[in-house]
Amino acid sequence: MTSFLHKNSIFIAIAKIGILSVITFVANCSTPEDPIQCRSAGAVKNSYCTITNSYGAFPDRSICRAAQVVYPSSEAELISAVANATLAKRKIKVATRYSHSIPKLVCPDGDDGLLISTKYLNRTLNINPSAMTITVESGVTLRQLINDAAKTKLALPYSPYWWGLTVGGMLGTGAHGSSLWGLGSQVHDYVIQLRIISPATAEEGYAKVRTLETGNPELDAAKVSLGVLGVISQVTLKLQPMFKRSITYITKNDSDFGDEAASFGRLHEFADFMWYPSQKLVVYRIDDRVSSNASGNGLNDFPGFRSTPSIVLATLRTSEETQESLGDLDGKCINGKLTTSTLRTMGYGLKNDGILFTGYPVIGFQNRIQASGTCLDSLEDARITACPWDSRVRGLFFYQTTFSIGLSKVKKFIQDIQKLAALEPKSMCGLDLYNGILMRYVTASSAYLGKQEDALDFDITYYRSKDPLAPRLYEDILEEIEQIAVFKYNALPHWGKNRNVAFQGAINKYKKATEFLKIKQMYDPLGLFSSNWTDQILGLSSRSVVMMNDEEGCALEGLCVCSQDIHCAPNKGYFCRPGKVYEEARVCAKLIKKSMTS
């Protein structure tokens, strides 16, 4: 989720219990909880705090603490917060309203750090219709940005599909939609100016405001920064005149998918895929601009982002846990097919007139089509309903493994997954419960930590146990896919998603990583906006981002690549073994008794 977050690949298998009609018309929902919780003591407000993500758990399940949080509502207050922390040499991290990043990007070291929330930096400051630009504070959500631009008949051409992300969060992690056209689908490539506040010397007042514009190489560092350069105050983006899109989904056998995947994005501006390897099916999104005079007032209301009764979420989670504990592969495959067929019937949440789906094509204005997230657009209802991943209810709990592979390598990677599916036909049925593998196009970016080449981004969402030592069904298959991508094809990780394994050696894959680190040193020489986690993924720590010791079960959570059986779950029959297709992989495979004793 991103999220999500872009959480674009999440889908609730609501059809399994036959209440889609109920959910479609739910009006209220418990909006997500603030990810920061404090128990103030004495005269210090908002102190003794913890922070988590919207899913309620980081990859290592640790609890991140901070001594205090501040909620600035203006740039002046933001400058004051940075200055005071710099004077005290205090670690600083920036948090967003919904905190959709899965990794520990928001965690300061220790218990004494400061959190700066952008929750109230949520104003649109200026829209210039003639220049086609919009200037917003960094806490503005994608939804607000899209809607405010639409009021002046302007559009953000590409964006993630989940509108609960903030502008600062999207820039911090390189969030994107899907396109190979124009400047591509990454939001940061439409930034023409930003203001960022970093630590400074006493002579400079302990905080420095920099205004970075197109042409300044420092902008290429700041527009995908992982939050380690400072805190972004304001952002100006280049927009386009409002336009309409026409969308049609078609389902095909995946036999020719490897050949078609690399080129399909050149044919259709907003193309993407939903791939179900277990069913040997791919859903192609044929999505292009059409005349604004074209008939249609379509709306995107993706079912996985809608308000859902908590009792439904609990039932679905219990069902999946039961299937996992009983080894019920057939049940997973049946439910997966029912989920995907139901999605297909309801047009994947598209509505021709804003109310009902009646058939393709669905035509609508960009601001109504490009993203959704109606579970955020509701009043409190005592958690009778919730966003599907809300950790306060018994809902979905999952991993997201998300990476991009250069178009020249995509065919071979797809074929490797197909080989795994052929060897173990039921091994990927669990993906269908989360709407398969979402695949989106991205282009090479000028951002130092942006995409290095035109590529396809693979977004894989799958079951995570509440017990960190409990292996999944076909644990080895998804681990092998992860390692094939990261190590065989040098995939780039999505900075806002993934388990730790995906970040191993990642910084070495960026051509201008050295330039980024030079600017980081210039902006924040004391490393106040950095943490052990960010130092590890940026190659600045002697410690690896993955565990290198004998931690029991570390491979099950993606905290290490197994090298010993203890890294898996030998007491449950899972042992460290080579991959089935990529023999260099080391994965936790379940062995039958005969193999275990041989």
Side-chain angles (χ1 to χ4, degrees):
M1 323 188 265
T2 203
S3 350
F4 165 19
L5 165 220
H6 167 16
K7 304 175 188 62
N8 302 358
S9 61
I10 304 170
F11 178 67
I12 320 161
I14 296 164
K16 289 187 289 185
I17 53 177
I19 60 165
L20 266 171
S21 59
V22 174
I23 293 165
T24 301
F25 295 103
V26 168
N28 293 327
C29 170
S30 293
T31 54
E33 186 177 41
D34 194 310
I36 303 170
Q37 297 294 311
C38 302
R39 51 179 185 86
S40 299
V44 181
K45 291 180 61 179
N46 298 320
S47 58
Y48 299 96
C49 305
T50 61
I51 182 168
T52 186
N53 54 30
S54 61
Y55 319 100
F58 292 112
D60 63 358
R61 304 189 190 233
S62 62
I63 296 174
C64 292
R65 304 183 187 278
Q68 187 182 5
V69 59
V70 294
Y71 292 90
S73 58
S74 67
E75 185 174 85
E77 292 179 3
L78 195 57
I79 293 169
S80 177
V82 173
N84 290 335
T86 303
L87 175 62
K89 292 184 172 57
R90 198 177 192 184
K91 288 286 189 175
I92 312 166
K93 281 295 177 183
V94 181
T96 61
R97 168 62 185 91
Y98 300 115
S99 191
H100 281 293
S101 291
I102 292 175
K104 297 168 65 175
L105 293 171
V106 296
C107 294
D109 291 333
D111 298 341
D112 301 322
L114 174 71
L115 295 171
I116 298 177
S117 172
T118 60
K119 182 176 181 178
Y120 299 120
L121 292 169
N122 57 1
R123 294 174 298 167
T124 295
L125 301 174
N126 182 59
I127 302 177
N128 186 329
S130 59
M132 293 193 293
T133 61
I134 185 170
T135 301
V136 298
E137 292 180 317
S138 61
V140 165
T141 62
L142 176 60
R143 183 193 183 191
Q144 181 181 342
L145 170 64
I146 288 169
N147 289 342
D148 285 355
K151 292 173 184 176
T152 57
K153 298 183 179 180
L154 294 173
L156 180 67
Y158 311 100
S159 73
Y161 299 170
W162 162 249
W163 70 32
L165 305 176
T166 65
V167 171
M170 288 189 289
L171 300 192
T173 60
H176 58 86
S178 182
S179 188
L180 293 174
W181 295 35
L183 295 178
S185 63
Q186 298 156 110
V187 174
H188 58 260
D189 285 325
Y190 296 85
V191 173
I192 59 173
Q193 183 186 90
L194 64 76
R195 289 170 63 84
I196 186 170
I197 301 163
S198 304
T201 63
E203 293 74 19
E204 295 171 305
Y206 295 105
K208 183 172 183 177
V209 182
R210 292 177 172 88
T211 300
L212 308 178
E213 298 182 341
T214 301
N216 184 340
E218 294 174 25
L219 179 62
D220 290 330
K223 63 187 184 181
V224 180
S225 69
L226 312 185
V228 300
L229 302 186
V231 53
I232 294 173
S233 171
Q234 301 174 14
V235 179
T236 301
L237 296 118
K238 184 70 173 179
L239 305 178
Q240 295 181 3
M242 180 56 72
F243 57 90
K244 280 186 172 181
R245 287 161 59 177
S246 174
I247 304 175
T248 297
Y249 285 108
I250 61 170
T251 302
K252 299 172 61 176
N253 184 278
D254 72 359
S255 57
D256 297 324
F257 188 37
D259 292 314
E260 296 179 347
S263 60
F264 188 69
R266 306 288 183 194
L267 304 177
H268 302 284
E269 183 174 3
F270 302 96
D272 71 18
F273 306 101
M274 291 172 284
W275 184 23
Y276 314 123
S278 65
Q279 301 180 47
K280 299 183 179 180
L281 296 176
V282 186
V283 178
Y284 289 66
R285 180 174 181 146
I286 299 173
D287 188 346
D288 295 288
R289 298 189 194 212
V290 293
S291 169
S292 293
N293 296 324
S295 177
N297 191 34
L299 179 72
N300 177 10
D301 186 15
F302 182 59
F305 298 161
R306 296 180 191 172
S307 306
T308 308
S310 297
I311 190 171
V312 174
L313 296 175
T315 300
L316 298 178
R317 178 64 187 184
T318 299
S319 172
E320 192 167 15
E321 287 178 340
T322 301
Q323 290 166 349
E324 286 281 331
S325 64
L326 297 178
D328 183 9
L329 292 170
D330 290 335
K332 279 208 167 192
C333 292
I334 291 169
N335 287 348
K337 288 181 179 179
L338 182 55
T339 297
T340 56
S341 64
T342 301
L343 256 180
R344 193 177 308 123
T345 299
M346 60 190 299
Y348 303 93
L350 295 175
K351 300 177 179 180
N352 297 75
D353 57 0
I355 300 173
L356 296 172
F357 172 68
T358 57
Y360 297 119
V362 175
I363 298 173
F365 284 106
Q366 167 72 342
N367 63 304
R368 290 170 57 83
I369 291 290
Q370 68 190 110
S372 68
T374 51
C375 71
L376 297 181
D377 188 27
S378 306
L379 302 174
E380 282 293 333
D381 66 357
R383 300 180 203 164
I384 295 172
T385 61
C387 291
W389 52 89
D390 193 322
S391 61
R392 296 171 299 172
V393 301
R394 184 177 169 78
L396 302 185
F397 190 55
F398 49 79
Y399 296 109
Q400 281 192 302
T401 294
T402 306
F403 48 81
S404 60
I405 293 178
L407 292 182
S408 63
K409 305 173 185 175
V410 159
K411 177 179 178 179
K412 290 183 178 179
F413 176 67
I414 289 173
Q415 289 174 337
D416 281 349
I417 294 181
Q418 289 172 327
K419 290 175 185 176
L420 282 169
L423 288 170
E424 299 288 356
K426 298 179 182 179
S427 63
M428 299 183 211
C429 289
L431 301 183
D432 298 348
L433 299 174
Y434 299 86
N435 198 27
I437 301 175
L438 175 66
M439 298 164 57
R440 295 174 292 163
Y441 289 100
V442 291
T443 55
S445 172
S446 63
Y448 292 163
L449 297 186
K451 302 303 181 184
Q452 303 294 288
E453 60 183 324
D454 292 357
L456 257 177
D457 184 90
F458 293 76
D459 201 327
I460 308 173
T461 304
Y462 51 104
Y463 174 86
R464 185 181 189 185
S465 174
K466 292 291 185 178
D467 178 359
L469 297 179
R472 301 181 311 278
L473 290 175
Y474 282 110
E475 174 88 24
D476 57 324
I477 298 299
L478 287 173
E479 286 184 5
E480 186 168 351
I481 290 173
E482 184 176 52
Q483 292 179 45
I484 289 172
V486 173
F487 303 129
K488 183 177 180 181
Y489 295 108
N490 287 315
L492 296 182
H494 188 302
W495 292 116
K497 303 182 183 181
N498 284 303
R499 310 186 318 160
N500 287 20
V501 166
F503 297 107
Q504 186 172 354
I507 193 62
N508 300 320
K509 301 173 184 178
Y510 294 85
K511 303 180 186 73
K512 295 192 174 181
T514 301
E515 285 85 346
F516 177 84
L517 295 176
K518 287 178 182 177
I519 293 174
K520 175 185 178 299
Q521 180 64 23
M522 178 173 66
Y523 277 39
D524 184 18
L526 297 178
L528 298 183
F529 278 91
S530 296
S531 65
N532 289 331
W533 164 255
T534 58
D535 283 350
Q536 288 169 7
I537 63 176
L538 292 174
L540 299 175
S541 173
S542 58
R543 294 183 59 191
S544 172
V545 71
V546 296
M547 294 179 177
M548 306 300 289
N549 53 24
D550 296 334
E551 187 74 21
E552 180 182 0
C554 60
L556 302 177
E557 293 270 273
L559 301 177
C560 73
V561 174
C562 74
S563 58
Q564 303 176 45
D565 291 338
I566 193 64
H567 297 155
C568 300
N571 60 326
K572 296 180 173 68
Y574 286 77
F575 295 81
C576 187
R577 293 294 184 268
K580 289 179 168 63
V581 170
Y582 179 49
E583 292 186 359
E584 288 86 346
R586 291 297 177 268
V587 297
C588 294
K590 187 172 185 178
L591 304 184
I592 60 175
K593 289 184 178 180
K594 180 179 178 181
S595 298
M596 290 165 54
T597 57
S598 60

